[in-house]
Amino acid sequence: MIYSNFNKKELLNEKERLIQKLEIYKRQGLKLDMSRGKPSGAQLDISMPLLQQKLDYKSNGVDYRNYGLSMGIPEIRNLIAELLGVKFEEVMVLDGSSLNIMFDTVARAMLFGAYKGAKPWSRQKVKFICCVPGYDRHFAICEVFGIEMINVAMTETGPDMDEVERLVSSDESIKGIWCVPKFSNPDGIVYSDETVKRFAALKPKADDFRIFWDNAYCVHELYEPVTLLNIFDECRMRGSEDMVYEFVSTSKITFSGAGVSAFITSERNMEYAKSIIKYQTIGPNKINQFMHYCYLPTVEAIREHMKEEAAIIRPKFEVLINRLNEVKKDGLVKFTEPKGGYFVSIYVLDCCAKRVVELCGEAGVKLTGAGATYPYGKDPCDSNIRLAPTLPPIEEIETVADILCVCIRLASVEKFLSE
Amino acid sequence: MIYSNFNKKELLNEKERLIQKLEIYKRQGLKLDMSRGKPSGAQLDISMPLLQQKLDYKSNGVDYRNYGLSMGIPEIRNLIAELLGVKFEEVMVLDGSSLNIMFDTVARAMLFGAYKGAKPWSRQKVKFICCVPGYDRHFAICEVFGIEMINVAMTETGPDMDEVERLVSSDESIKGIWCVPKFSNPDGIVYSDETVKRFAALKPKADDFRIFWDNAYCVHELYEPVTLLNIFDECRMRGSEDMVYEFVSTSKITFSGAGVSAFITSERNMEYAKSIIKYQTIGPNKINQFMHYCYLPTVEAIREHMKEEAAIIRPKFEVLINRLNEVKKDGLVKFTEPKGGYFVSIYVLDCCAKRVVELCGEAGVKLTGAGATYPYGKDPCDSNIRLAPTLPPIEEIETVADILCVCIRLASVEKFLSE
């Protein structure tokens, strides 16, 4: 590592040099934001024809402009069933926010139990396993419901399954686990076949344990196709399909928050969910669903569309990664290059992440808060930083990356000086 | 009343005559439906230009195609604030289903309490006052959450306020009341100014008591404008605005389930609601909201639009009411002619409603189930039937009305024969 054989004077010189460099950026009064995984305007533009279709919104004698079809329109249920390799009856298509479906799924279990006759979670101790680093909004749902979170580390093939198996099989209060199985948020890890099989083979102590399979990036390849094993196939072989809730949305396919999202689970779970959801709503926005279906009517059309999306964001990822490779060479940061998804997840030296984010902020670059990728916002090593390069224009990514590299160096030098 | 001085033979002859008449309809194999308050295709057609607008979905530098604005777009919040006479900060605009907002509002109180620090409803005995007859989906929400329902009778000026005041001020377990204050479902009653003032002046024993003010038909006049007193104005004078949750939607203005709906409450309540909703969703479908705003940008535009809607449904109401006036003259049914809303609510002789609905069903006419307008589906008098004349074409309404009149007569004759 570059600074490990610097003496104090050399470290102080380096610190001074970096502060000078940062000063130049500060004087520019920049206001750059790489904090959230939002698509860029150019990506959103791709889907504009979706909104310009002339449709009559009638299909097989049903008027989609009127009430009805609480499970969503059959066309889009079929399409999602085909995309994910599940049954039509296992797919409920709702409005734009899959987060809303996840929240409601937990809320239903809290109020009514996870299956008919089960004890509501609100009347018992409930813990969730959180794969770390992970998605802050998953953790936030646990927090608001008072669900205790237990960290399990991610590996290059998915969560540490030895630990997951141990916890799930030994503790009846463990009722759930949050997973982003393909291009995980933030690391971009794709769960290996073995990991998926081990998930399907879990033998939970709690009969109301559920896997929250947030397949947010199921078609979000940056390069060639990447296959994730179909967990429902694996579960069906073992009779464990009631254990899985899957979630997908088009928020990062068409429009963010204005697309369609889906809830996928076993027929038994779905019957139960429906028995409560029917009190909650008469049905989703079928006009928007039909627009989506007509614009992207086949799995092939979705994949072609996603190639256009990838063409826009890939260069942004590459610019960021190329710049970061310099500090990586110097041993100041670690990361794996993601092959899809929305993030680059970097690990700076221990105890440096907060400082790096702070230094970037002072130079006008907003990053996701350090710690956000951990439950309660607490990264035990203060090392992980999630970078979201999709929204800013590529020139800004370059500037952000340059500033970020300076800040990583400076925080590292400070760390060495304080030791 | 026509049959009260018939002797047994005359009643039997009349019964035979009516059965013969009904037989003619039965042979036609009709399949008519007047069971739900759905708009007709012609009504939905009015709003088709909404879907054909060429918009860029950007406003004041914000891209409405992307994440953000959890309270909805400012344009439509302003519009609803103006329409209802409330403050911008008191309006949250969400997706298509106001039922969903109502369900979630109850669910939040169940899980987290009605205000910060309040005891969750799920941990105490909870009762709601239900104005009867009323809206079945309101009652269903109570049922699924295990909330006990207490009936209070509707009068021509709104609920029996003596009874409401007595209950609310004496029983701490009474936490809510369902109201449809304008063109009530099903009776079409508009709450009088005095009723609204008495609501605002309620002194509930429970500090977490809330009025669920479902203003579903706020602009749904069939004839000239009808004014409902603004409950928030009245509450503000008395400092009681935290007591009110108001709900509106465009499901019967533009598209059913594919419009926008809004939650309106005091700033204090709104801050609390937001503090939980932020975990549930990143935001509503702003593309759909912007389409709605651009198509109906002013209160005046909404009112003009509703005149077109009224022009389509008014003749349907009138045909139905004219036919029913015959049986009304004979004393077999009572009703008030609604001046707006979506229903005609009739009261047949006691113990006859179920039988009328059954007889209609046998003749191929589907009506809302008798009892549906009461909690637990139990109309103590078995008298009320809700008719929904908006969906079928006018010729069908005529046939339905004719069959309905025959069935009302037949059920009445049967009643006299059994006495």
Side-chain angles (χ1 to χ4, degrees):
Chain A
M1 188 187 306
I2 182 169
Y3 300 130
S4 51
N5 46 9
F6 275 39
N7 64 30
K8 184 154 187 193
K9 193 165 172 230
E10 288 168 320
L11 284 171
L12 284 169
N13 284 343
E14 174 73 353
K15 182 178 174 186
E16 192 48 39
R17 185 186 71 87
L18 292 164
I19 287 173
Q20 292 304 326
K21 250 187 135 167
L22 211 55
E23 206 50 50
I24 297 166
Y25 289 115
K26 281 190 193 175
R27 263 182 248 127
Q28 297 175 33
L30 299 168
K31 238 188 130 176
L32 306 173
D33 190 341
M34 207 156 65
S35 67
R36 300 255 22 136
K38 287 174 148 187
S40 65
Q43 285 174 264
L44 298 166
D45 286 344
I46 300 175
S47 299
M48 285 306 279
L50 184 156
L51 298 171
Q52 303 300 346
Q53 300 171 96
K54 286 214 180 283
L55 306 169
D56 71 355
Y57 301 100
K58 285 167 198 149
S59 176
N60 295 313
V62 180
D63 191 335
Y64 288 163
R65 303 169 306 171
N66 219 324
Y67 290 114
L69 293 178
S70 58
M71 297 277 284
I73 68 170
E75 290 91 341
I76 212 151
R77 290 176 64 196
N78 260 321
L79 180 59
I80 289 174
E82 187 190 338
L83 178 70
L84 300 175
V86 296
K87 289 186 252 176
F88 178 78
E89 293 75 18
E90 293 170 332
V91 181
M92 176 184 276
V93 187
L94 296 172
D95 287 330
S97 166
S98 61
L99 185 72
N100 202 330
I101 305 182
M102 293 180 229
F103 180 98
D104 283 6
T105 303
V106 175
R108 270 198 308 279
M110 294 296 291
L111 284 162
F112 305 104
Y115 59 84
K116 194 173 160 66
K119 193 174 181 184
W121 287 357
S122 62
R123 293 203 214 129
Q124 46 182 322
K125 174 78 192 159
V126 175
K127 300 176 196 163
F128 264 50
I129 298 173
C130 296
C131 310
V132 292
Y135 179 34
D136 52 354
R137 292 190 188 268
H138 288 163
F139 306 154
I141 289 176
C142 284
E143 220 172 325
V144 74
F145 285 112
I147 295 171
E148 187 184 323
M149 293 180 264
I150 298 170
N151 294 4
V152 166
M154 286 293 287
T155 73
E156 285 190 5
T157 56
D160 175 345
M161 289 308 293
D162 290 345
E163 189 61 6
V164 169
E165 286 164 354
R166 190 187 68 75
L167 286 163
V168 163
S169 63
S170 64
D171 186 347
E172 202 179 343
S173 63
I174 293 184
K175 304 296 188 186
I177 180 169
W178 290 112
C179 298
V180 180
K182 186 168 171 179
F183 306 131
S184 71
N185 178 350
D187 286 324
I189 288 163
V190 181
Y191 289 15
S192 70
D193 290 359
E194 198 209 329
T195 296
V196 177
K197 284 175 203 279
R198 287 175 76 176
F199 264 110
L202 282 176
K203 295 273 172 277
K205 185 137 192 218
D207 61 6
D208 53 352
F209 168 81
R210 296 290 182 269
I211 299 164
F212 287 70
W213 201 250
D214 183 2
N215 208 347
Y217 307 103
C218 55
V219 290
H220 299 62
E221 272 83 354
L222 285 171
Y223 302 93
E224 64 276 9
V226 174
T227 308
L228 172 75
L229 208 61
N230 180 353
I231 190 167
F232 282 102
D233 284 347
E234 295 303 315
C235 284
R236 262 186 263 283
M237 282 186 241
R238 296 164 177 89
S240 63
E241 63 266 38
D242 289 349
M243 206 163 52
V244 183
Y245 297 139
E246 184 168 4
F247 310 91
V248 294
S249 99
T250 71
S251 270
K252 287 170 186 113
I253 299 176
T254 58
F255 301 114
S256 301
V260 300
S261 58
F263 177 50
I264 300 101
T265 193
S266 72
E267 284 182 73
R268 199 194 328 250
N269 283 346
M270 192 59 88
E271 280 310 311
Y272 177 65
K274 273 162 63 181
S275 76
I276 296 164
I277 293 172
K278 73 177 178 186
Y279 294 99
Q280 188 175 18
T281 177
I282 306 175
N285 184 333
K286 299 187 296 298
I287 289 180
N288 191 39
Q289 292 190 356
F290 196 60
M291 279 186 197
H292 272 74
Y293 168 72
C294 292
Y295 178 62
L296 295 171
T298 62
V299 171
E300 189 50 37
I302 296 171
R303 296 208 190 279
E304 284 307 309
H305 175 92
M306 293 312 289
K307 283 183 193 165
E308 288 185 65
E309 296 277 330
I312 293 173
I313 61 178
R314 194 169 45 234
K316 298 184 180 183
F317 276 79
E318 289 175 351
V319 161
L320 179 63
I321 286 165
N322 284 343
R323 306 275 164 134
L324 283 168
N325 272 331
E326 292 170 40
V327 260
K328 191 181 188 184
K329 254 185 297 177
D330 286 342
L332 303 178
V333 68
K334 282 187 232 169
F335 59 89
T336 6
E337 293 181 24
K339 303 298 177 212
Y342 255 56
F343 303 105
V344 177
S345 169
I346 62 170
Y347 297 83
V348 296
L349 300 185
D350 282 1
C351 311
C352 287
K354 276 204 168 71
R355 181 62 179 149
V356 169
V357 172
E358 181 184 40
L359 287 167
C360 282
E362 288 168 10
V365 171
K366 190 178 172 194
L367 298 180
T368 309
T373 51
Y374 287 77
Y376 313 107
K378 284 181 195 153
D379 174 359
C381 300
D382 185 25
S383 163
N384 183 244
I385 300 173
R386 187 185 80 168
L387 305 171
T390 53
L391 183 65
I394 198 153
E395 314 78 54
E396 284 188 17
I397 305 270
E398 285 174 7
T399 313
V400 169
D402 288 341
I403 294 171
L404 177 61
C405 289
V406 175
C407 294
I408 291 171
R409 285 184 193 282
L410 180 52
S412 306
V413 168
E414 286 175 354
K415 178 185 156 94
F416 275 93
L417 277 166
S418 73
E419 273 168 2
Chain B
M1 189 189 302
I2 183 168
Y3 299 131
S4 51
N5 46 10
F6 275 38
N7 64 31
K8 184 155 187 194
K9 193 164 170 229
E10 287 168 320
L11 285 171
L12 284 169
N13 283 344
E14 175 73 355
K15 182 179 173 184
E16 191 48 39
R17 186 185 70 86
L18 293 163
I19 289 174
Q20 292 304 327
K21 250 186 136 167
L22 211 55
E23 206 49 49
I24 298 167
Y25 291 114
K26 281 190 192 174
R27 263 181 248 128
Q28 297 175 33
L30 299 167
K31 242 189 128 177
L32 306 173
D33 190 341
M34 208 156 67
S35 69
R36 300 262 11 142
K38 287 173 148 186
S40 64
Q43 286 173 264
L44 298 165
D45 285 344
I46 300 175
S47 300
M48 285 304 280
L50 183 156
L51 299 170
Q52 303 301 348
Q53 300 172 95
K54 287 214 181 281
L55 306 169
D56 71 354
Y57 301 99
K58 285 167 198 150
S59 175
N60 296 314
V62 180
D63 192 335
Y64 289 163
R65 305 169 304 172
N66 218 326
Y67 291 114
L69 291 179
S70 59
M71 297 278 283
I73 67 169
E75 290 92 338
I76 213 152
R77 290 176 65 196
N78 261 321
L79 180 59
I80 290 175
E82 188 191 337
L83 178 69
L84 300 175
V86 296
K87 289 186 253 176
F88 177 79
E89 294 75 17
E90 293 169 333
V91 180
M92 175 184 277
V93 187
L94 296 172
D95 288 329
S97 168
S98 61
L99 184 72
N100 202 330
I101 305 181
M102 292 180 230
F103 180 100
D104 283 7
T105 304
V106 175
R108 271 198 308 278
M110 293 296 292
L111 284 161
F112 305 104
Y115 59 83
K116 194 172 161 67
K119 193 173 180 184
W121 287 357
S122 63
R123 293 203 213 129
Q124 45 182 322
K125 175 77 192 159
V126 175
K127 300 177 196 162
F128 263 51
I129 298 173
C130 296
C131 311
V132 292
Y135 180 33
D136 52 354
R137 291 190 189 270
H138 288 162
F139 306 153
I141 288 176
C142 284
E143 221 173 323
V144 74
F145 285 113
I147 295 172
E148 187 184 323
M149 292 180 263
I150 298 170
N151 294 4
V152 165
M154 286 292 286
T155 72
E156 285 190 4
T157 55
D160 174 345
M161 290 308 293
D162 290 344
E163 190 61 8
V164 169
E165 284 164 356
R166 191 187 66 76
L167 286 164
V168 163
S169 63
S170 65
D171 186 347
E172 202 179 345
S173 63
I174 293 184
K175 303 296 188 187
I177 179 168
W178 290 112
C179 299
V180 181
K182 187 168 172 181
F183 307 131
S184 70
N185 178 348
D187 287 323
I189 288 163
V190 181
Y191 289 14
S192 69
D193 290 0
E194 198 208 329
T195 297
V196 177
K197 284 175 202 281
R198 287 175 75 177
F199 264 109
L202 281 177
K203 296 271 171 280
K205 186 135 193 218
D207 62 5
D208 53 354
F209 168 83
R210 295 292 183 267
I211 299 164
F212 287 71
W213 201 250
D214 182 2
N215 209 348
Y217 307 104
C218 55
V219 290
H220 299 63
E221 273 83 354
L222 285 171
Y223 302 94
E224 64 275 12
V226 174
T227 310
L228 172 76
L229 209 61
N230 180 352
I231 191 166
F232 282 101
D233 284 348
E234 295 303 316
C235 283
R236 262 187 263 282
M237 282 185 241
R238 297 165 176 88
S240 63
E241 63 266 37
D242 289 350
M243 206 164 52
V244 183
Y245 297 140
E246 184 169 3
F247 310 92
V248 294
S249 101
T250 71
S251 271
K252 289 172 184 110
I253 298 176
T254 59
F255 301 114
S256 302
V260 301
S261 56
F263 177 51
I264 301 102
T265 194
S266 70
E267 284 182 74
R268 200 196 327 249
N269 282 346
M270 191 60 88
E271 280 309 310
Y272 177 65
K274 273 162 63 181
S275 76
I276 296 164
I277 292 172
K278 73 177 179 187
Y279 295 98
Q280 187 175 19
T281 177
I282 306 174
N285 183 333
K286 299 188 295 298
I287 288 181
N288 192 39
Q289 292 189 356
F290 196 60
M291 279 186 197
H292 272 75
Y293 168 73
C294 292
Y295 178 61
L296 294 172
T298 62
V299 171
E300 190 51 35
I302 296 172
R303 296 207 190 278
E304 285 305 310
H305 175 91
M306 292 312 287
K307 284 183 193 166
E308 288 185 63
E309 297 276 330
I312 292 173
I313 60 177
R314 196 168 45 233
K316 297 184 180 185
F317 275 80
E318 289 175 351
V319 160
L320 179 62
I321 285 165
N322 284 342
R323 306 275 164 136
L324 283 168
N325 272 333
E326 292 170 40
V327 261
K328 191 181 188 185
K329 255 185 297 173
D330 286 343
L332 303 178
V333 67
K334 282 187 230 167
F335 59 88
T336 3
E337 293 180 24
K339 304 298 177 211
Y342 255 56
F343 303 104
V344 177
S345 169
I346 62 170
Y347 296 83
V348 296
L349 301 184
D350 281 4
C351 310
C352 287
K354 276 205 168 72
R355 180 63 179 149
V356 169
V357 172
E358 182 184 39
L359 286 167
C360 283
E362 288 169 9
V365 171
K366 190 178 171 194
L367 300 180
T368 311
T373 50
Y374 287 77
Y376 312 107
K378 284 180 195 154
D379 174 358
C381 300
D382 187 24
S383 163
N384 183 243
I385 300 173
R386 187 185 80 168
L387 305 170
T390 52
L391 181 65
I394 197 154
E395 315 78 55
E396 283 187 18
I397 305 272
E398 286 174 7
T399 312
V400 169
D402 288 341
I403 293 171
L404 177 61
C405 288
V406 174
C407 294
I408 291 171
R409 285 182 193 283
L410 181 51
S412 306
V413 167
E414 287 175 353
K415 177 185 158 92
F416 276 93
L417 277 167
S418 75
E419 274 169 359

